[in-house]
Amino acid sequence: MSSSPAVMSVGAVCFGVAVGYITYRTLVRAERSAVSDLATVITAVGGGAVTGLFDPQEGDTFGWYSIGLLAGMAVFFLLFLAMNGKAATAVFMGAPDIGTTGTNPARPSVSSDGRPRR
């Protein structure tokens, strides 16, 4: 299998965006973050490190891993939005004022930690 410089470059950008976003969200939610938030960042970086063990001259495993990581995050976001609505997604993503109007917005059906109520 040959290595593609384009896949490796796109993969590196995707990896940076995914790990940067996960780290950003962990830092923004610092007052209520948990060890699992840090474990998420470590897992993403660890997965990249494992794929880096394969010779980049022989294949583009790291590039495809990174593209899949970012694509998975995007699919999760879109599915969460479709299943829970704009207001609940905004609260979950840390922007509770998005999707509400007026001075007394209706509270979305989410719990205090930003997760949708069941």
Side-chain angles (χ1 to χ4, degrees):
M1 177 170 31
S2 65
S3 178
S4 169
V7 170
M8 294 300 279
S9 297
V10 170
V13 170
C14 290
F15 188 75
V17 169
V19 170
Y21 178 76
I22 293 168
T23 305
Y24 165 77
R25 291 296 305 141
T26 301
L27 293 174
V28 166
R29 295 169 58 174
E31 65 188 40
R32 61 180 178 174
S33 64
V35 173
S36 63
D37 296 330
L38 181 60
T40 303
V41 175
I42 292 171
T43 302
V45 172
V50 168
T51 61
L53 295 175
F54 298 101
D55 187 9
Q57 303 301 323
E58 295 292 321
D60 43 18
T61 308
F62 173 75
W64 286 115
Y65 166 80
S66 302
I67 292 167
L69 179 67
L70 187 60
M73 287 177 58
V75 167
F76 168 80
F77 174 77
L78 293 173
L79 286 174
F80 191 90
L81 179 65
M83 292 173 28
N84 297 294
K86 186 176 179 180
T89 302
V91 170
F92 183 74
M93 299 302 286
D97 56 339
I98 295 176
T100 59
T101 59
T103 57
N104 189 13
R107 295 189 53 104
S109 62
V110 294
S111 62
S112 62
D113 66 351
R115 296 186 178 159
R117 292 190 184 132
R118 297 180 192 245

